[in-house]
Amino acid sequence: MNRTEPLVLGIESSCDETGVGIVRGDTLLTNAVSSSMEEHVRFGGVIPEIASRAHLDAFVPTLRQALDEAGVTLEDIDAIAVTSGPGLAGALMVGVCAAKALAVATGKPLYAINHLVAHVGVGVLDGGKLPENLGALLVSGGHTEILRVGSLTADVQLLGSTIDDAAGEAYDKVARILGLGYPGGPAIDRLARQGNPKAIRFPRGLTQPKYMGTAEAPGPHRYDWSFSGLKTAVARCVEQYEAAGQELPVADIAASFQEAVVDVITSKAVLACTEQGITNLLLGGGVAANSRLRELTSERCAAAGISLRVPPIRLCTDNGAMVAALGSQIVMAGGEPSGVDFTPDPSQPVTSIQLPAA
């Protein structure tokens, strides 16, 4: 196997995107993605059984598209990487079973990859080698986390995370309250541009002194987030307007809600970086497409002397290229394959970068 510039096929199926990406070393050759989002719209969120069935239908066509676009065959591939977790159990199982079948059929080594660390690993495809003193702020529909990345392939630590709803989940729920449909993130982002972000002061969860503590004596949730109270506050606000028979200022509510989310995310992320000696930050995950989050993260990182890297939006959302990218880094670092006896882990911790051989 070529360990200097390996040709790696990456498979992603943790939620509602079927992704197959191919990289050679640090170079992206193709990134084919099939989304089942339209099938979930009428339900207002992802239905796991529908997502799993969509992965079954989409996998072979997406694989063929990726191989054709990259101009390679399965025989050319040096290694296969697949998301083993975290994610929806049934959705993960489809991708993992497909990857195992390919590995057995071709004799290629298989690597079981952490979905969240892959969101960091995708950074090598847009800017090359990741810098030292690196942190990662991952914001998506299922996760909101701040990480310290000592080594992309061997040392990733969780500094803080949401204790309830993820930011993207809160966007979807608030969009439903406001009648904006699904997915909520893009709808709220567009509408917020027409509203006043200071019109309503919504709460910033876990920012009280009892949770924050001090740098010398950190509180229990110094770097953590909570968005469930914010979601409830929006619901109560809407109820008050409706009870009073007043027209709902939807744009102002959207803007004020979004400001509350991005304010607390960015302030805690920069605080964690500053106190932990992190001088470089990567922003990733699907919610990294949010214009206000990108803007405020950039402003606050610049003010704190932290360099910021944000991959292109197509690489921030779930995709196979990020799995291939991390798989390639593991291969180049001399990592051993996971084999085909591992089990997908829907709750795979971020510290488990790759599942070991069973």
Side-chain angles (χ1 to χ4, degrees), residues 126-145:
D126 180 60
K129 184 180 178 181
L130 296 176
E132 295 182 355
N133 297 325
L134 178 66
L137 174 59
L138 304 182
V139 191
S140 69
H143 302 276
T144 306
E145 301 185 344

Side-chain angles (χ1 to χ4, degrees), residues 137-208:
L137 174 59
L138 304 182
V139 191
S140 69
H143 302 276
T144 306
E145 301 185 344
I146 179 76
L147 314 175
R148 182 213 297 278
V149 185
S151 163
L152 182 61
T153 60
D155 178 21
V156 177
Q157 299 174 331
L158 179 66
L159 298 180
S161 65
T162 176
I163 64 170
D164 41 55
D165 292 355
E169 185 181 1
Y171 267 88
D172 288 339
K173 290 177 177 177
V174 167
R176 194 177 310 149
I177 292 169
L178 297 178
L180 300 178
Y182 175 85
I188 289 178
D189 194 12
R190 286 191 299 269
L191 189 59
R193 294 172 193 151
Q194 305 168 26
N196 177 6
K198 297 181 180 179
I200 304 163
R201 175 69 184 183
F202 285 126
R204 274 67 167 161
L206 302 183
T207 56
Q208 301 92 330

Side-chain angles (χ1 to χ4, degrees), residues 13 45 145 172 196 205 223 239 326:
S13 70
E145 301 185 344
D172 288 339
N196 177 6
Y223 304 144
E239 289 172 1
L326 179 55

